[in-house]
Amino acid sequence: MENYTEIQFEEHIESQLLERGYIKSSPKLYDRSLCLIPSQLIDFIQETQPKQYKKLTEQYGDDTNNKLTKRISEQIESKGVIEVLRKGVKDRGNTFKLVYFKPKSGLNQEHQDLYKKNRFIEVRQLKYSKKNENSIDMGIFINGIPVMMLELKNSLTGQDHTHGIKQWKFDRDSKESLFKFKRNMVYFSVGNEKVFMSTRLSGSKTRFLPFNKGIDNPVNPKGHMTHYLWDELLQKDSVLDLIENFVHIRKDVEKVYDPKQQRLVEKKSETLIFPRYHQLNVIGKIK
């Protein structure tokens, strides 16, 4: 293990995801302007909603794919990825579902079949910017839509989760399209021993919270202490459960004094809430 590199850490996580049904996608297929993998998104829609797609082609013709992906990208930017995944997107009178959640029962075979057609995609070394060639260690996508970003650090090369946190704060411009608030559910900094997370990148003001089993993670005789992230959280049913039932936007209103108006005014703010590990664990035991 002395020569265990960060790339091998990436490869290990990737192999675990691929074994569980993820698809590996080339970073070259990612569109930096749309913040999507257009080919995966269009293939998913054509496969699951051929009638609606055909109706759209009758209006847009050869430009259908460009028009539809642009529309979806704009809706995600304005409403956030959670709302768009839950409610879908309308275009020219057609409503497109962008994900199929797990059926509550096994009675509806059509819903079961559609659910199985969700595409869980991982992309390594995701180049996200139109300004530079910086890359994120790993991006998690559903049907071509980004939902989670991971920076991976290996303590055997002298780095841990704290280095990933610094990277998110100081090397990742929060003004980049992919990092705009609500465009992703969560940003993880993942080491061999600990995981930390944030739901909003704000440069040096970015707040990271622990996503660990306790103050310290228990020793894992089979490998990494943080294995629960890919063995549990990133499993397909778990990701969809998070999107459908757990992650939410909290809206706050507070009274603040405006010196220009010389009076109290209402200041509105939003917070994206992503559950901590122990919260998910408790709820999982109750189910």
Side-chain angles (χ1 to χ4, degrees), residues 30 118 125 135 140 151 169 171 182 197 245 263 278:
Y30 175 76
N118 284 315
Q125 296 304 315
S135 62
I140 301 297
E151 289 291 357
K169 285 185 174 183
D171 297 340
K182 298 192 290 186
M197 67 172 195
N245 300 309
R263 65 183 180 89
H278 63 274

Side-chain angles (χ1 to χ4, degrees), residues 60 65 71 76 78 100 156 193 215 226 229 235 268:
Y60 285 144
N65 293 351
R71 170 72 174 165
I76 294 171
S78 64
Y100 286 92
L156 293 173
E193 294 88 16
I215 296 174
T226 52
L229 185 69
Q235 293 313 298
K268 297 179 180 179

Side-chain angles (χ1 to χ4, degrees), residues 82-143:
I82 297 301
E83 183 172 337
V84 169
L85 286 174
R86 286 175 179 168
K87 296 182 179 180
V89 165
K90 292 183 179 179
D91 194 354
R92 292 290 180 97
N94 300 287
T95 299
F96 292 96
K97 287 183 176 293
L98 303 180
V99 69
Y100 286 92
F101 294 110
K102 190 172 184 179
K104 305 305 179 193
S105 75
L107 299 177
N108 188 330
Q109 188 58 48
E110 183 184 1
H111 194 164
Q112 288 276 5
D113 293 341
L114 289 168
Y115 168 72
K116 291 176 183 177
K117 290 180 178 178
N118 284 315
R119 297 162 179 242
F120 289 79
I121 303 153
E122 61 85 17
V123 181
R124 283 174 56 193
Q125 296 304 315
L126 178 67
K127 294 181 179 180
Y128 57 87
S129 179
K130 291 185 286 184
K131 303 172 189 174
N132 57 58
E133 293 299 298
N134 291 348
S135 62
I136 300 164
D137 289 333
M138 185 173 289
I140 301 297
F141 294 72
I142 293 180
N143 303 325

Side-chain angles (χ1 to χ4, degrees), residues 10-259:
E10 277 183 42
E11 289 173 344
H12 172 74
I13 296 173
E14 178 181 71
S15 68
Q16 296 301 302
L17 294 178
L18 295 181
E19 280 182 16
R20 292 166 172 85
Y22 270 71
I23 300 166
K24 179 176 181 175
S25 179
S26 166
K28 293 179 181 178
L29 296 178
Y30 175 76
D31 188 303
R32 304 185 200 191
S33 296
L34 296 173
C35 300
L36 300 168
I37 305 175
S39 57
Q40 291 284 359
L41 178 56
I42 293 298
D43 286 352
F44 167 77
I45 289 173
Q46 287 179 328
E47 186 178 10
T48 58
Q49 298 151 91
K51 290 180 182 177
Q52 293 94 318
Y53 180 80
K54 186 175 183 296
K55 287 181 182 177
L56 202 63
T57 62
E58 291 169 358
Q59 299 182 67
Y60 285 144
D62 293 341
D63 209 24
T64 299
N65 293 351
N66 291 332
K67 294 279 191 181
L68 182 54
T69 52
K70 185 181 179 184
R71 170 72 174 165
I72 291 169
S73 177
E74 289 171 346
Q75 288 290 289
I76 294 171
E77 182 162 346
S78 64
K79 296 180 179 180
V81 68
I82 297 301
E83 183 172 337
V84 169
L85 286 174
R86 286 175 179 168
K87 296 182 179 180
V89 165
K90 292 183 179 179
D91 194 354
R92 292 290 180 97
N94 300 287
T95 299
F96 292 96
K97 287 183 176 293
L98 303 180
V99 69
Y100 286 92
F101 294 110
K102 190 172 184 179
K104 305 305 179 193
S105 75
L107 299 177
N108 188 330
Q109 188 58 48
E110 183 184 1
H111 194 164
Q112 288 276 5
D113 293 341
L114 289 168
Y115 168 72
K116 291 176 183 177
K117 290 180 178 178
N118 284 315
R119 297 162 179 242
F120 289 79
I121 303 153
E122 61 85 17
V123 181
R124 283 174 56 193
Q125 296 304 315
L126 178 67
K127 294 181 179 180
Y128 57 87
S129 179
K130 291 185 286 184
K131 303 172 189 174
N132 57 58
E133 293 299 298
N134 291 348
S135 62
I136 300 164
D137 289 333
M138 185 173 289
I140 301 297
F141 294 72
I142 293 180
N143 303 325
I145 298 170
V147 290
M148 301 183 193
M149 296 291 135
L150 291 74
E151 289 291 357
L152 310 174
K153 300 299 169 189
N154 175 24
S155 59
L156 293 173
T157 59
Q159 294 198 325
D160 60 19
H161 68 279
T162 62
H163 294 86
I165 289 173
K166 289 177 182 176
Q167 204 167 17
W168 279 123
K169 285 185 174 183
F170 303 109
D171 297 340
R172 304 291 179 241
D173 184 354
S174 58
K175 294 184 177 66
E176 289 281 355
S177 296
L178 181 60
F179 303 146
K180 287 183 179 177
F181 180 53
K182 298 192 290 186
R183 187 125 217 174
N184 283 284
M185 289 198 299
V186 66
Y187 304 91
F188 284 117
S189 178
V190 187
N192 309 99
E193 294 88 16
K194 291 186 177 183
V195 178
F196 275 66
M197 67 172 195
S198 178
T199 59
R200 187 172 201 158
L201 297 185
S202 307
S204 61
K205 296 179 181 178
T206 304
R207 186 181 179 211
F208 274 85
L209 298 171
F211 191 84
N212 301 305
K213 290 188 171 184
I215 296 174
D216 292 306
N217 283 316
V219 172
N220 175 18
K222 296 182 180 179
H224 305 286
M225 294 182 189
T226 52
H227 70 99
Y228 57 88
L229 185 69
W230 51 92
D231 283 343
E232 298 173 27
L233 185 85
L234 296 184
Q235 293 313 298
K236 296 194 283 188
D237 283 355
S238 175
V239 173
L240 290 178
D241 195 23
L242 279 166
I243 294 169
E244 185 179 19
N245 300 309
F246 288 96
V247 180
H248 72 279
I249 304 294
R250 188 185 71 204
K251 297 183 179 182
D252 299 306
V253 179
E254 62 176 331
K255 297 278 189 178
V256 296
Y257 182 75
D258 185 337

